[in-house]
Amino acid sequence: QVQLVESGGGLVQAGGSLRLSCAASGRTFSRYGMGWFRQAPGKEREFVAGINSSGGSTSYADSVKGRFTISRDISKNTAYLQMNSLKPEDTAVYYCGGAYIAGVATRTSSYDTWGQGTQVTVSS
């Protein structure tokens, strides 16, 4: 039901930071768990980070744990992904998704709405 639009991607040097935003339309944002996924050329879309509908629980892929932080602002209908200490292997198209489930969703099949994606490129 909710529509999502990502922004904030770009080109950064290794060790730099970016913050991605996912803006949601409508008034149903607070009912959805939110997640960030990424897809590099020639690879499947993979889970990066997730947060439940209340914002009380989060989950991260091992590859980004300690470097990335997912958050949400219900009043602004927006989810965020703060990415620090970026590495060239983080280069991918990043997608925001919404999952109408109780817990933190880590599989693509749990999500029923997606944004269009935003490119993140990390140079060495």
Side-chain angles (χ1 to χ4, degrees), residues 17-36:
S17 298
L18 284 173
R19 188 177 75 159
L20 306 184
S21 297
C22 177
S25 64
R27 299 180 63 187
T28 61
F29 176 70
S30 63
R31 301 179 184 177
Y32 284 77
M34 303 297 296
W36 289 96

Side-chain angles (χ1 to χ4, degrees), residues 9-13 18 86-88 90-92 94 119-123:
L11 174 65
V12 298
Q13 291 182 273
L18 284 173
L86 283 162
K87 305 174 181 179
D90 295 318
T91 296
Y94 283 71
Q119 177 71 49
V120 172
T121 303
V122 184
S123 63

Side-chain angles (χ1 to χ4, degrees), residues 32-34 50-54 57 99-106 110-111:
Y32 284 77
M34 303 297 296
I51 189 167
N52 69 348
S53 59
S54 69
S57 296
Y100 197 71
I101 64 172
V104 179
T106 61
S110 297
Y111 290 81

